[in-house]
Amino acid sequence: MCTRVARLRGAELVIGVDLVPERLERARRNDVEALDLTEHDDIAATIRELTGGRGPDSVIDAVGMEAHGSPGGKLAQQMAALLPDGAQARLMEKAGVDRLAALHLAIDIVRRGGTISLAGVYGGMADPLPMMVLFDKQIQLRMGQANVRRWVDDIMPLLSGDGDPLGVDHFATHRVPLDEAPQAYANFQQKKDGTVKVSAQALT
């Protein structure tokens, strides 16, 4: 969806990086330069080459919480879930269960003076950020909760107006009744059956 919004706002070159074939194919259908992370030894060099050596003006880290892709992170979260709330919070703060690979890549590839927006979720606090790099490159770092009410008037015409410019009417890859939602979301996490986006609805 980030790439669709970038296209709608007039970006000349939109690059998407992913590991999931179905998501890559969806991006390519929307005129996005979709790069499979597994096919590039140096993805940062590839992206710099595509941008004339300069790097993208803006980078969006939309990785979500990476723990299910990290065995160590997954184990730490499972262990934390067994502890009392206070001890659980301390473990999450100290363990640094997030893999910060996507964020470090964003810092590496964004142009000097560019912007990184974090739509991902980072729960751990142990991994330090490369503050000198952020300072030297004069990077703007944007993050936080979605200010939904602030943007309703801008967003609603894109969702309910004519033309469906973001393709939301057909964005879901799977539509299931509410009682099948747990299995559908398990399929999403396990990358089964081409599950990219699930729409679960109560039947009336």
Side-chain angles (χ1 to χ4, degrees):
M1 186 54 74
C2 293
T3 61
R4 294 183 188 203
V5 171
R7 272 280 172 224
L8 183 69
R9 292 179 62 84
E12 293 180 16
L13 173 63
V14 179
I15 302 168
V17 179
D18 209 312
L19 298 162
V20 181
E22 292 85 357
R23 290 202 297 244
L24 289 163
E25 180 55 35
R26 280 163 62 96
R28 290 186 182 110
R29 289 199 301 264
N30 286 283
D31 199 23
V32 170
E33 186 72 43
L35 305 177
D36 187 334
L37 188 61
T38 64
E39 295 179 357
H40 298 270
D41 294 330
D42 188 345
I43 193 70
T46 301
I47 292 171
R48 276 192 283 271
E49 184 178 343
L50 288 170
T51 56
R54 186 168 179 257
D57 296 323
S58 300
V59 177
I60 299 173
D61 170 0
V63 75
M65 183 167 273
E66 290 188 276
H68 71 264
S70 167
K74 183 175 181 180
L75 177 62
Q77 285 192 339
Q78 289 172 339
M79 290 172 54
L82 301 175
L83 299 173
D85 289 347
Q88 183 180 127
R90 287 193 296 276
L91 177 60
M92 288 295 287
E93 289 178 4
K94 300 296 183 185
V97 297
D98 296 317
R99 295 182 306 142
L100 298 180
L103 178 54
H104 283 285
L105 176 61
I107 293 168
D108 183 19
I109 64 175
V110 71
R111 71 165 173 84
R112 298 182 69 81
T115 300
I116 297 173
S117 296
L118 299 180
V121 180
Y122 290 98
M125 299 183 186
D127 294 89
L129 290 177
M131 295 303 294
M132 285 302 297
V133 177
L134 291 166
F135 179 83
D136 179 60
K137 292 184 73 173
Q138 303 174 52
I139 292 172
Q140 300 178 69
L141 198 56
R142 304 292 304 272
M143 69 189 84
Q145 301 293 337
N147 300 308
V148 178
R149 288 177 62 87
R150 164 67 180 82
W151 297 106
V152 165
D153 291 343
D154 296 298
I155 293 172
M156 286 308 295
L158 299 176
L159 305 179
S160 58
D162 295 333
D164 189 24
L166 294 175
V168 295
D169 289 346
H170 306 287
F171 194 68
T173 57
H174 292 70
R175 298 179 186 276
V176 299
L178 202 54
D179 61 352
E180 294 180 18
Q183 182 57 54
Y185 280 96
N187 291 345
F188 165 75
Q189 184 188 29
Q190 296 162 19
K191 310 296 185 287
K192 288 183 177 178
D193 191 30
T195 307
V196 175
K197 195 70 173 177
V198 175
S199 174
Q201 299 175 332
L203 299 178
T204 57

